Amino acid sequence: MQDLPPVIEITDLHKSYGELEVLKGIDITARRGCVVSLIGSSGSGKSTLLRCANLLENSQQGEIRFKGEPVRWKGSGQNRRPADAKQVLRIRTNLSMVFQQFNLWAHMTILQNVMEAPVTVLGRPRSEVERAARAYLDKVGIGDKCDVWPAQLSGGQQQRAAIARALCMEPEALLFDEPTSALDPELEQEVVRVIKDLASEGRTMMIVTHDMKMAHDVSDHVVFLHQGLIEEQGPPDALFGAPRSERLRGFLSATRAA
């Protein structure tokens, strides 16, 4: 497995919004079967990095590779854009994103929400997708909610439906952007359990999270971002147990006190 190229490999990534430079030269790798967690204060660039990896945001400099294949660009600086729309679609469909807000279609049942993209984007047979969708809803613990509307579910159930929707795309990697921050603590734990189960299966994941316990428990590699740069990174036991950087020590102290 280690001979295969990483699922996601980012080198010297820069991203700015006008004069505001949010990412200042980031190198990050998500190898097949590994869970990488991104931690850091609000505004450190975590979510922006995830959105750049999924090509939802355009970066101004640096390289992004998906399974060894570089993203092709045209233009430069603020005018840089992906050059190949088909490549972007192919990469995006292989990097399923789970957002902080669940983004479920209110006019569709939970089953329909999970089935929509594999049928319409990937063109897979509806009967095959329905079997998979029901299996994934069972997997995340809401198989009995197939025929209800999103508004009838709790926040934790809606987020688990969003995870099932991401899984139904059969992606190479799952990208989670603060998947539990909109939930109260009890519902948060429902979602954390699902993410832990996925990690134990050896799925490739990148997770932006404020939940330090989850980051410690599920990650193979943790990256601490500070003001658009990687301040420290390494295995979770090292990062949380013996942080080297004063900034990381301060951040962890503040999160424990919160």
Side-chain angles (χ1 to χ4, degrees):
M1 290 286 267
Q2 292 304 312
D3 293 339
L4 295 170
V7 177
I8 303 166
E9 188 173 16
I10 292 172
T11 309
D12 192 33
L13 195 75
H14 291 253
K15 167 68 182 175
S16 59
Y17 298 98
E19 297 296 309
L20 177 64
E21 193 174 17
V22 180
L23 301 175
K24 304 173 182 177
I26 298 290
D27 298 340
I28 196 164
T29 299
R31 297 197 172 278
R32 193 172 303 273
C34 288
V35 179
V36 178
S37 286
L38 309 176
I39 64 171
S41 303
S42 181
S44 60
K46 310 181 300 296
S47 292
T48 301
L49 175 57
L50 207 65
R51 292 173 69 86
C52 285
N54 201 33
L55 303 177
L56 290 172
E57 296 270 5
N58 293 322
S59 51
Q60 280 75 54
Q61 181 183 322
E63 187 168 55
I64 300 172
R65 291 176 177 268
F66 173 69
K67 293 170 60 180
E69 174 191 351
V71 173
R72 294 185 286 282
W73 303 97
K74 60 184 177 184
S76 60
Q78 293 292 339
N79 296 316
R80 186 167 96 148
R81 300 284 184 276
D84 184 344
K86 287 184 178 177
Q87 182 189 43
V88 171
L89 180 62
R90 181 162 43 79
I91 290 173
R92 274 204 200 133
T93 55
N94 275 286
L95 299 176
S96 282
M97 191 116 165
V98 178
F99 297 91
Q100 178 178 347
Q101 300 299 337
F102 325 120
N103 296 341
L104 298 173
W105 296 102
H107 65 289
M108 293 182 178
T109 66
I110 294 303
L111 181 63
Q112 289 168 339
N113 264 279
V114 175
M115 290 177 60
E116 178 67 12
V119 171
T120 60
V121 177
L122 301 182
R124 284 166 47 196
R126 183 170 289 276
S127 59
E128 171 194 309
V129 172
E130 181 173 344
R131 282 195 300 274
R134 288 182 183 278
Y136 284 125
L137 285 165
D138 280 340
K139 184 184 191 68
V140 301
I142 53 170
D144 59 335
K145 305 295 183 184
C146 286
D147 299 321
V148 305
W149 307 104
Q152 295 173 278
L153 299 186
S154 70
Q157 289 171 328
Q158 288 190 59
Q159 189 61 292
R160 285 186 280 159
I163 294 171
R165 179 181 58 187
L167 288 167
C168 205
M169 291 292 284
E170 306 287 355
E172 294 281 346
L174 291 162
L175 309 180
F176 290 90
D177 188 7
E178 296 278 15
T180 60
S181 64
L183 305 174
D184 67 40
E186 184 180 354
L187 299 180
E188 182 175 344
Q189 288 313 303
E190 296 176 4
V191 176
V192 168
R193 278 195 295 273
V194 171
I195 294 172
K196 285 182 177 178
D197 286 346
L198 296 174
S200 71
E201 294 173 1
R203 291 182 182 270
T204 308
M205 298 194 280
M206 285 181 68
I207 306 173
V208 169
T209 184
H210 69 286
D211 184 333
M212 296 303 108
K213 185 175 189 312
M214 181 177 76
H216 178 274
D217 291 349
V218 307
S219 305
D220 299 290
H221 191 77
V222 180
V223 178
F224 172 57
L225 274 79
H226 179 74
Q227 295 182 356
L229 290 165
I230 293 177
E231 176 78 16
E232 190 170 338
Q233 61 181 317
D237 284 345
L239 226 75
F240 293 114
R244 300 187 307 274
S245 138
E246 187 61 44
R247 288 191 180 112
L248 177 55
R249 286 195 290 271
F251 171 75
L252 292 176
S253 177
T255 58
R256 287 174 189 133

